[in-house]
Amino acid sequence: MPQQLRPENSDGSQRQARGMGQAKKPLPGLPRGWSRVCHETGLFLRSIGLGILVTAFQGFFTNNFLEPEKVAIRQSRVTSLLRALIHLLPLGIATFEITLNWKGHFVGRHFDKQNYLQFAAKAHEIFIQASIATIILSYTRYQISVGKGMPFGAVLGALQFLQVSYLWSAELWSAIISHNFHLKKKLCFTILIIISVTVAATAGPSSANLMIARQGIWPEKSSYLAVNATFEDIWPDRLDDEKISSDCRTVRVGYHPKSLDSAVLCPHGDINRLLEDKRYLTILKTYDITNRQGVILEHPNSLFARILLTSTCFDLVKDQVCSTIPQSAFVGGLGQDAAAHVKEETSQALQGYHILAENYYQPYTAASCVTDTVQNSSDEAALRFARFLETGSELERGREIISVPALTKSQSTYNIPGSRSRFRIDWVYLPQEIFGTGVPGAIIVHPHNSNDSSYKITTCTLNAGWGSSSIFNDAIAGNVVNSHITQTPPSWDLAFYADAYGYAFSTSPIFDKRSNFSYPQLLINISKSWMEFLNPTLILPDNSTDEAVSAILSQLPFEPQEYQIAHLLNFLLASALADTGREHDAKIFENRARASKSCENCLVFEIENSMYGWQYAARETTTKLAIAVMLTYSFLVLAHILYSTISGVSSTAWDSTAEMVALAMNSSPTEALHNTCAGIVGKKAYQTHVRVMKTSEKHLELVFGEVKDPNADITKLVKNEKYGGIASQGGKEDKDELSMLEGQEEIRKRGWLKHG
């Protein structure tokens, strides 16, 4: 038997070897039990990949400064579970990330930890890669040691999985197609490598995606708005002056009611806002008819203002102008809802979104004007008005100019009240069977000298009705309420208006080519007496008076065009219709049942609430892919932990490239690798079957090919047996190597014998 180095006691006697390994000399000053603890601690550190600590403090963990013999494959559930602890941290973080994003969590309006979490995500990626390396090493180690072996090209897969190019490398595919690789093991290895390489490559961005909060809209519990009114109260099909106060015929410029209690509900809307809004005057002066234009109207007793949208009705048709605006009563309801959802402070509520998208209607108006000339006071030519064209289910791009014989130029325009030096307006009924509208048309006489026999006029056709819509507050753009023609506003609207600084812009018209003139769906019949309130008498600060339409048009530096007049009339009509039903009470409730019981004839509407801020949620495709990556990793780790628990097989051998090189250097040359010292270009070498086998009592080697000599001293290695001896020659150890070790001064100082 080859002689092994044995420690010597102080009395010169040799300590007896215990079990399969050598006896250990207790550390000076430490009890035997503490030496055992140090040994197991060193084993644990190697198991979780912290072998550097064992190397750095070798004198603390072992009394032998030479490389000791080691167990190649261990059969111990405790050790196996200790080895599996390397998965604990990355698996725990991955589970937390998946749960956090799957369940969702709203962080708040502010979040400033992105930079720190970027580094944390990178650290998590490193831990995941170390965990995956452990799994692949565990599989390949088992196959080449106590299993039936693997092709040579698959042995180093655990050391190359971080390189994506390994998926199309010659060694991998040569091993996969090798006949020396059983089909079942081939499939397991191929799936393991593909999953491992994919997860390792995507773990970093996936962890960062799940770890760092993202900005977006966070849904909250819905609330319910109960309006103490009937459908006809809010959206009547006919309007007249029966219930309108005579005080509405005059407006004092600069007066703004602070509450609904002090506000006279007049159909001219908040005309003062229009007169003071310099932006609106700019719109009229430099009017881009192809885009939506928004004007903000504040609302008493509400956290939110309204946006009145005006644009061409369809695409680039400049002759037809449309407008729409949210109903006042519902804007107030959204304001109450926002106040009810305050979390930290009032401004927190204003950062949220509140959407009313079901069973809600709001006014939609349309106007088209025609310019004409009255030749003299005896001009009996018929007035001409524009008629909206309708063919089938789509509105054609254009209009038809129709003469109305019952309305002559001179009779209809000459006696309109007002100064001839100012704009004058009058309202006339148009044949509904011809024009398809229940709204009176407008006649506007342009300023002229009293001595002029001819003068310019503009006739306008108006239409109005209620259309199903959705309204939502635009928190980013200044806490204003906007609207959309569809039931549910597209998500891009909310983000788009963020750049509008409180005003609404869009490159699309109010209607699109798919809409038809049956929209609005519920047409309104309006009397002339009601329309007259759209042009109230203004009481100026100096107590002089003027008509509202004249005061606005007179501020333009040039003669107003047809579409500018249409824009103004649309604004007045839409804003007046939006105040219908404003006097009715609106209250917010937490559930539909309580809202319905609040009154017998209440109209109940659901408000979808949400907050804008930083959040964790699994809505985006990238987030779902990141969760899929982390789930795949988690299943892979759990499968390995389950296998380790059941089998109890583990090892810390051949974890690194250096250890594999050391094993190869201690192995005998083989003809299977003939002509490979300068590289490998063929697939035969990669397909050669290889195993780690015991070639002498304590020595392990890489054995290529099948062992055909029945007398050869080559056997499978044994679990829990220590290996490390030098390769034997004829049953004797290499004495030259032993003599070299005996000559070291360090050995003599430590008290080891020269011979056994």
Side-chain angles (χ1 to χ4, degrees):
M1 292 288 295
Q3 298 294 324
Q4 304 291 332
L5 297 178
R6 303 182 186 275
E8 182 181 26
N9 290 328
S10 58
D11 59 357
S13 62
Q14 294 181 356
R15 186 180 304 277
Q16 297 296 322
R18 293 180 300 168
M20 295 183 181
Q22 295 176 332
K24 294 183 180 179
K25 181 179 180 180
L27 296 176
L30 293 177
R32 182 186 303 272
W34 182 250
S35 178
R36 174 75 175 177
V37 170
C38 291
H39 171 73
E40 296 298 335
T41 302
L43 177 63
F44 167 70
L45 292 176
R46 280 180 54 84
S47 298
I48 63 174
L50 295 178
I52 180 65
L53 298 179
V54 179
T55 302
F57 301 99
Q58 187 175 7
F60 187 75
F61 290 106
T62 179
N63 60 354
N64 192 350
F65 278 82
L66 297 177
E67 190 68 37
E69 295 179 354
K70 291 169 285 295
V71 175
I73 301 296
R74 292 181 180 273
Q75 180 70 52
S76 169
R77 284 192 174 87
V78 175
T79 305
S80 181
L81 289 175
L82 286 176
R83 179 64 171 163
L85 288 179
I86 194 173
H87 305 308
L88 185 61
L89 181 60
L91 178 61
I93 296 175
T95 304
F96 176 76
E97 289 177 339
I98 294 171
T99 305
L100 180 64
N101 284 270
W102 190 262
K103 295 183 65 176
H105 175 68
F106 184 73
V107 179
R109 289 175 295 157
H110 306 291
F111 184 73
D112 55 359
K113 301 296 188 294
Q114 295 93 325
N115 295 334
Y116 299 103
L117 293 179
Q118 286 280 6
F119 286 99
K122 184 61 181 178
H124 187 213
E125 177 189 21
I126 295 173
F127 290 138
I128 288 177
Q129 291 173 348
S131 173
I132 294 174
T134 300
I135 296 173
I136 305 178
L137 279 169
S138 176
Y139 178 81
T140 55
R141 241 188 331 240
Y142 182 88
Q143 294 300 324
I144 64 175
S145 57
V146 296
K148 296 184 178 181
M150 302 174 71
F152 178 53
V155 171
L156 300 180
L159 304 178
Q160 301 184 72
F161 77 97
L162 292 179
Q163 305 173 19
V164 179
S165 59
Y166 181 63
L167 290 177
W168 53 84
S169 63
E171 55 260 50
L172 176 62
W173 286 101
S174 297
I176 290 176
I177 64 176
S178 172
H179 296 294
N180 296 321
F181 213 179
H182 295 291
L183 179 60
K184 183 178 179 181
K185 291 182 173 57
K186 184 186 298 185
L187 289 175
C188 291
F189 175 76
T190 304
I191 294 173
L192 176 63
I193 287 296
I194 292 176
I195 291 177
S196 299
V197 173
T198 303
V199 172
T202 57
S206 297
S207 181
N209 184 289
L210 299 178
M211 192 177 292
I212 300 175
R214 299 165 293 281
Q215 282 186 307
I217 299 175
W218 177 258
E220 293 190 335
K221 185 179 179 181
S222 295
S223 53
Y224 296 88
L225 175 68
V227 181
N228 188 13
T230 63
F231 190 94
E232 285 295 326
D233 292 333
I234 304 295
W235 300 294
D237 59 359
R238 181 172 178 79
L239 293 171
D240 53 37
D241 63 343
E242 181 180 351
K243 298 180 180 180
I244 300 177
S245 171
S246 59
D247 294 337
C248 292
R249 297 191 181 277
T250 59
V251 173
R252 183 170 293 277
V253 175
Y255 171 71
H256 300 286
K258 299 300 181 182
S259 67
L260 292 178
D261 296 335
S262 60
V264 178
L265 299 177
C266 300
H268 52 61
D270 195 353
I271 194 76
N272 270 313
R273 297 294 178 189
L274 178 61
L275 293 171
E276 297 174 0
D277 195 329
K278 296 181 180 180
R279 173 174 170 76
Y280 181 71
L281 294 176
T282 302
I283 291 174
L284 287 182
K285 291 176 183 178
T286 58
Y287 188 49
D288 183 1
I289 196 67
T290 61
N291 290 335
R292 290 188 189 184
Q293 303 293 336
V295 178
I296 290 183
L297 298 180
E298 294 184 3
H299 186 275
N301 285 352
S302 176
L303 294 175
F304 300 127
R306 297 172 291 162
I307 286 184
L308 186 147
L309 294 176
T310 299
S311 80
T312 55
C313 296
F314 296 88
D315 299 329
L316 301 179
V317 183
K318 193 174 182 180
D319 298 325
Q320 301 160 1
V321 181
C322 288
S323 297
T324 186
I325 184 174
Q327 286 283 89
S328 298
F330 295 91
V331 173
L334 287 181
Q336 293 181 41
D337 186 55
H341 284 80
V342 174
K343 289 200 169 183
E344 298 174 0
E345 53 192 21
T346 302
S347 59
Q348 174 84 4
L350 300 184
Q351 291 294 326
Y353 290 101
H354 310 272
I355 302 174
L356 195 159
E358 294 183 0
N359 304 319
Y360 164 76
Y361 294 81
Q362 70 182 37
Y364 283 84
T365 61
S368 184
C369 297
V370 178
T371 300
D372 205 346
T373 302
V374 178
Q375 299 299 330
N376 50 57
S377 59
S378 302
D379 192 343
E380 297 297 325
L383 288 178
R384 300 185 304 151
F385 287 83
R387 181 170 74 94
F388 301 108
L389 292 179
E390 182 179 4
T391 301
S393 61
E394 288 194 8
L395 183 68
E396 294 181 351
R397 297 186 179 185
R399 60 180 181 173
E400 181 181 8
I401 308 302
I402 296 179
S403 297
V404 182
L407 301 174
T408 62
K409 291 182 178 180
S410 58
Q411 293 178 352
S412 301
T413 64
Y414 192 76
N415 295 320
I416 295 178
S419 172
R420 285 174 169 75
S421 63
R422 308 290 289 175
F423 287 95
R424 294 175 292 157
I425 185 171
D426 193 18
W427 308 97
V428 295
Y429 288 114
L430 298 176
Q432 190 167 0
E433 66 277 6
I434 297 177
F435 291 92
T437 175
V439 182
I443 303 174
I444 296 178
V445 179
H446 292 241
H448 61 280
N449 295 325
S450 58
N451 297 327
D452 293 340
S453 59
S454 64
Y455 47 89
K456 185 177 179 180
I457 64 172
T458 299
T459 59
C460 298
T461 307
L462 299 172
N463 200 358
W466 310 110
S468 61
S469 308
S470 59
I471 56 174
F472 51 94
N473 77 294
D474 193 354
I476 300 179
N479 303 312
V480 295
V481 172
N482 217 316
S483 57
H484 197 274
I485 191 173
T486 57
Q487 288 290 339
T488 303
S491 58
W492 56 262
D493 269 1
L494 299 177
F496 185 83
Y497 293 137
D499 299 326
Y501 304 103
Y503 296 94
F505 294 95
S506 173
T507 57
S508 62
I510 289 180
F511 303 102
D512 58 29
K513 62 184 179 180
R514 295 170 298 176
S515 303
N516 56 60
F517 210 62
S518 62
Y519 203 97
Q521 297 131 331
L522 307 174
L523 293 178
I524 307 173
N525 289 304
I526 303 177
S527 66
K528 284 176 54 177
S529 58
W530 190 94
M531 294 292 290
E532 289 173 356
F533 287 100
L534 299 183
N535 186 37
T537 299
L538 303 179
I539 302 176
L540 304 176
D542 59 358
N543 289 326
S544 61
T545 61
D546 196 0
E547 302 300 319
V549 173
S550 176
I552 297 171
L553 293 179
S554 297
Q555 296 186 52
L556 299 179
F558 46 79
E559 189 78 11
Q561 302 297 309
E562 295 174 355
Y563 56 82
Q564 291 170 317
I565 296 176
H567 185 285
L568 173 60
L569 296 181
N570 253 331
F571 179 95
L572 295 173
L573 180 57
S575 60
L577 290 174
D579 283 341
T580 304
R582 191 176 73 176
E583 68 276 13
H584 295 284
D585 293 333
K587 295 182 180 179
I588 293 295
F589 296 88
E590 295 180 356
N591 58 70
R592 187 181 293 274
R594 292 186 61 187
S596 301
K597 292 180 180 179
S598 61
C599 59
E600 293 183 3
N601 299 319
C602 277
L603 297 176
V604 179
F605 305 88
E606 181 179 2
I607 298 178
E608 300 173 8
N609 300 302
S610 59
M611 296 289 289
Y612 185 85
W614 297 91
Q615 60 181 287
Y616 294 94
R619 298 193 190 97
E620 301 174 357
T621 302
T622 53
T623 304
K624 294 177 181 178
L625 290 175
I627 290 177
V629 171
M630 289 301 160
L631 282 175
T632 303
Y633 164 72
S634 301
F635 289 141
L636 190 65
V637 167
L638 291 175
H640 181 249
I641 293 176
L642 181 63
Y643 165 78
S644 300
T645 304
I646 296 175
S647 68
V649 176
S650 65
S651 174
T652 58
W654 316 309
D655 276 356
S656 65
T657 304
E659 292 182 0
M660 288 299 297
V661 171
L663 176 64
M665 292 291 292
N666 278 283
S667 302
S668 303
T670 174
E671 286 295 324
L673 298 181
H674 184 63
N675 289 338
T676 60
C677 58
I680 302 175
V681 295
K683 63 181 180 180
K684 186 175 181 180
Y686 290 131
Q687 294 177 335
T688 303
H689 190 264
V690 62
R691 297 172 67 183
V692 176
M693 303 191 74
K694 177 180 176 181
T695 58
S696 63
E697 183 180 358
K698 297 291 184 179
H699 188 67
L700 299 177
E701 292 187 14
L702 285 173
V703 177
F704 287 79
E706 298 293 338
V707 179
K708 298 180 180 180
D709 186 358
N711 298 320
D713 190 17
I714 298 177
T715 59
K716 293 178 62 175
L717 61 82
V718 181
K719 298 175 183 177
N720 292 332
E721 183 175 331
K722 288 188 177 181
Y723 296 97
I726 301 172
S728 62
Q729 295 181 357
K732 296 181 179 181
E733 293 185 346
D734 191 335
K735 290 183 169 45
D736 292 336
E737 180 71 12
L738 186 60
S739 299
M740 180 187 70
L741 297 176
E742 293 170 351
Q744 295 181 7
E745 185 67 23
E746 186 66 22
I747 295 178
R748 295 191 181 95
K749 289 181 180 181
R750 293 285 171 174
W752 275 285
L753 293 176
K754 295 183 180 181
H755 300 287

